Amino acid sequence: MPLNYTDYLKLPELLDLQEPKSKPEQQDELLFIIIHQVYELWFKLMLHEVDKLKRDFSKGDLFGAIHTFKRLRTVMKTLVGQLDILETMTPISFTSFRDRLESASGFQSTQFREVEFVFGYKRADTLKYYDPSNPALATIQKRLNERSVIDHFHDFLALQGVEIPVEVRQRDVTLPAEPNEAVQEGILNLYRTRGECEILFEVMTDFDEGMQEWRYRHVKIVERTIGSKQGTGGSPGVEFLKRSLFRPLFADLWAIRHRM
Ligand code: HEM
């Protein structure tokens, strides 16, 4: 039999993966499960695209990098937009099944942490929340130790003639990247002289803004749905999440804007 839509997409398996825990089943639990599963699929795609993006940067493939960043930016905007659907769930409705989540929380999303780490938003302290026997720990540890998009971006800038200081080239990649004035001068110069690089920098800024929008919208949905309750993952909830607000991935792209 020729391959068909159902088999190619493994739909029976896929559509069998939503198992509400509430009894009697609460109306909104299916939405809650589906939305998180969809996020995980998009995270999977993002990680797949980032592996290509890093290669593009390190070999100086500007158009390849622009193309992939455009896709990543659009996925990010979709991730932000999807929260609108979940916001149709009221606090009372969420409370009706929240206990069934036990200690499950987005906090434990390995792929989200990978996404943070691959873009250079490295927070080694988040590893302590994983059980040492959890195989996800090795995956995240690997991402922590590898060069992030920002390091490959520095390779790209060097190929465009930007002098990357030794402390940036040899930085400890397990730490968040620090803003650097010499790198900023190089980017500013490319902004002024190379229109095609300007397109790349702007689409990277779009992505960065999208990530910050996601964090803000997530904090707001948490605040409106559970208020000051503790998170199911054991954090103080809203107060913990607020610490990540307004922290860019590509600080050098934001630091120069008043000079343009
Ligand atoms: C009503 C909806 C939601 C509520 C009440 C909620 C609540 C929370 C809370 C309280 C935390 C802090 C950690 C903890 O102690 O549990 C958290 C973290 C997190 N949530 Fe949600 N969340 C919601 C929707 C979502 C959605 C749709 C996603 C999509 C994947 C998501 C992904 C995450 C991630 C990745 C973290 C870790 C963030 C970080 O470490 O900075 N959450 N959530």
Side-chain angles (χ1 to χ4, degrees), residues 17-22 25-41 43 82-109 214 218 221-226 230-233:
L17 292 174
Q18 296 71 42
E19 280 180 30
K21 299 269 184 229
S22 51
E25 189 182 323
Q26 300 298 314
Q27 181 67 20
D28 288 355
E29 192 177 357
L30 184 64
L31 166 69
F32 192 77
I33 292 173
I34 289 179
I35 202 123
H36 282 84
Q37 289 185 340
V38 171
Y39 270 103
E40 290 294 333
L41 287 173
F43 293 156
Q82 277 179 189
L83 286 174
D84 290 341
I85 312 173
L86 195 54
E87 276 184 348
T88 62
M89 177 181 74
T90 66
I92 289 176
S93 172
F94 185 49
T95 306
S96 72
F97 64 89
R98 187 175 186 237
D99 282 353
R100 313 305 294 220
L101 306 181
E102 299 178 12
S103 58
S105 159
F107 205 36
Q108 296 140 3
S109 167
W214 188 84
H218 177 252
I221 197 172
V222 175
E223 198 173 3
R224 69 184 277 170
T225 314
I226 63 167
Q230 248 208 352
T232 47

Side-chain angles (χ1 to χ4, degrees), residues 248-260:
L249 298 170
F250 309 120
D252 289 327
L253 291 178
W254 294 91
I256 54 178
R257 309 196 79 84
H258 64 289
R259 297 175 60 195
M260 294 185 201

Side-chain angles (χ1 to χ4, degrees), residues 58-194:
S58 288
K59 62 179 193 243
D61 181 352
L62 173 68
F63 295 111
I66 291 175
H67 176 69
T68 301
F69 248 119
K70 270 175 70 179
R71 182 170 299 164
L72 285 164
R73 175 215 30 208
T74 313
V75 171
M76 187 47 84
K77 298 275 172 189
T78 300
L79 295 189
V80 175
Q82 277 179 189
L83 286 174
D84 290 341
I85 312 173
L86 195 54
E87 276 184 348
T88 62
M89 177 181 74
T90 66
I92 289 176
S93 172
F94 185 49
T95 306
S96 72
F97 64 89
R98 187 175 186 237
D99 282 353
R100 313 305 294 220
L101 306 181
E102 299 178 12
S103 58
S105 159
F107 205 36
Q108 296 140 3
S109 167
T110 310
Q111 292 199 109
F112 178 80
R113 206 60 73 205
E114 282 187 80
V115 168
E116 281 195 339
F117 286 7
V118 293
F119 281 100
Y121 193 91
K122 299 212 170 161
R123 292 193 275 173
D125 59 330
T126 55
L127 267 65
K128 67 174 184 258
Y129 295 103
Y130 288 83
D131 191 304
S133 64
N134 185 342
L137 191 57
T139 311
I140 305 177
Q141 187 75 54
K142 181 173 163 287
R143 292 290 188 185
L144 182 71
N145 295 337
E146 72 188 20
R147 298 176 83 226
S148 61
V149 166
I150 205 150
D151 300 293
H152 291 263
F153 177 55
H154 292 150
D155 292 348
F156 171 81
L157 292 175
L159 290 169
Q160 311 310 311
V162 175
E163 189 83 36
I164 305 292
V166 66
E167 70 271 19
V168 175
R169 273 188 281 124
Q170 293 177 3
R171 71 180 197 91
D172 178 351
V173 298
T174 65
L175 298 176
E178 294 292 330
N180 182 279
E181 280 182 19
V183 174
Q184 289 163 22
E185 286 306 320
I187 294 174
L188 196 54
N189 185 40
L190 291 172
Y191 251 110
R192 289 181 177 137
T193 56
R194 299 265 309 275

